Amino acid sequence: MTQQQRKDEHIYWAEKFYHEKENSLEGIRFIHQGLPKIDVEGVDIQTHLFDKVQAAPFYINAMTGGTTKAKDINQQLAWVAKRANIALALGSASIVTREEETLSSFLIAKEELQEGTFIGNIGLEYEPSMIEDVANRLEVDAMQVHINVAQELFMPEGNRTFSSWKKHLSMLSTLPFPVIIKEVGFGMSGETFTELIENNIQYVDLSGRGGTNFAQIEIARSNHRTENLATWGQTTAESLLEAQPFLNDLQIFASGGIQSPLDVVKCMALGAQSVGVAGYFLHFLLEHGKEKTLDEVLRWQEEIRLLYTLLNCKNHKELQYTNLFLSDHLQHWYNTRQIGQENFACRNKK
Ligand SMILES: Cc1cc2nc3c(=O)[nH]c(=O)nc-3n(C[C@H](O)[C@H](O)[C@H](O)COP(=O)(O)O)c2cc1C
């Protein structure tokens, strides 16, 4: 199996399992209030990412590159991202280090995006000097460095050596561009956030369980792994709770199972800087094409504005004080993990 075949298989299986999701964000509810004091036109949902202004607090997250099909997808995603003025992250560029001719499948997105926010992606198994080389060749605004230990271990041909990660991690903060440490759908813990801060990491994409599931995908590809591993990892909601004590030290990007503007707003209310969407927009693009995907992204932007109004919040900061009701499971998680004292249901009474 070549790396190129694997890339296309990931698209195939992600699409095949698209409808099998567990929306962990259902465990977070807003409390409706009937007396708003603001106007829709006074709501500001713009976001700043890496010194560039984005129209809305969500971006298209890392998916693909390296094959003819991936090139076509990247070009279409970039076409959408540019017109909607949102950031685009591309799939892992590790393939470029081995197969030079695959570079164009990534650069095509840069050409399409022009001045738009462009985020590269590669694994922590790579030496920081190599990560820098790839980032320079792609001319990115920031680089996601993925930590995908569960995926690798569930993948028959996956990596089995992780002892170099600690050293690589300790060197990433010296790179001359922003580095985002990113999961791939297994979520993060307070312990991981602490270690990232100790290594001077500022940006994290906690990519939790709940959407595209690489345990399920790799189990399906290998055809012989045990099914019970398909629920490995923290959901996006659990990961966001884990992140609460670290919101002053880390800029948190939330992703994993984001299916709607309401999901975006829930993540923002729990302190995210922005929210990543992968599988949903890939599925939409493959089903409906780039024009309708752009319409959908613009619809999300408008609906987020309406939801902020409904919550009586003019901006992201105010949203972080809005009241939230957590499911028994999430409240139990928060208490059992001794994360903090926050009473999410009465935040604006502070
Ligand atoms: C087809 C596909 C390929 C992916 N490839 C990568 C990758 O190369 N690097 C990475 O960090 N994440 C990769 N991801 C993971 C996503 O960026 C995201 O973390 C995960 O899919 C959860 O988000 P979702 O539920 O919105 O899909 C991929 C996702 C999909 C659907």
Side-chain angles (χ1 to χ4, degrees), residues 56-73:
F58 64 91
Y59 56 95
I60 301 176
N61 217 348
M63 280 183 280
T64 199
T67 69
T68 310
K69 186 181 175 77
K71 184 175 182 175
D72 181 44
I73 290 173

Side-chain angles (χ1 to χ4, degrees), residues 7-15 21 60-65 89-93 121-122 144-148 151 182-186 205-214 217 236 255-259 276-282:
K7 297 271 174 186
D8 282 347
E9 279 201 3
H10 281 159
I11 296 169
Y12 170 80
W13 285 106
E15 188 55 12
K21 307 234 179 299
I60 301 176
N61 217 348
M63 280 183 280
T64 199
L90 291 192
S92 175
N121 182 292
I122 197 164
Q144 290 178 333
V145 176
H146 64 250
I147 50 174
N148 66 338
Q151 182 193 7
K182 177 180 177 297
E183 245 295 345
V184 300
F186 297 93
D205 183 334
L206 54 72
S207 204
R209 202 182 83 217
T212 305
N213 182 336
F214 274 99
I217 289 175
T236 300
S255 71
I258 305 302
Q259 300 291 304
V277 189
Y280 182 90
F281 287 141
L282 176 67

Side-chain angles (χ1 to χ4, degrees), residues 140-202:
V140 295
D141 294 290
M143 199 72 186
Q144 290 178 333
V145 176
H146 64 250
I147 50 174
N148 66 338
V149 56
Q151 182 193 7
E152 293 292 343
L153 291 174
F154 298 158
M155 195 191 313
E157 73 273 32
N159 190 4
R160 295 291 179 267
T161 56
F162 304 97
S163 52
S164 64
W165 283 24
K166 189 172 164 30
K167 180 166 160 250
H168 295 170
L169 181 65
S170 72
M171 295 159 69
L172 288 181
S173 67
T174 62
L175 292 175
F177 45 80
V179 170
I180 307 156
I181 295 294
K182 177 180 177 297
E183 245 295 345
V184 300
F186 297 93
M188 287 197 191
S189 66
E191 292 85 338
T192 299
F193 293 127
T194 302
E195 213 172 321
L196 295 178
I197 292 166
E198 284 165 2
N199 284 279
N200 300 315
I201 297 297
Q202 286 181 42

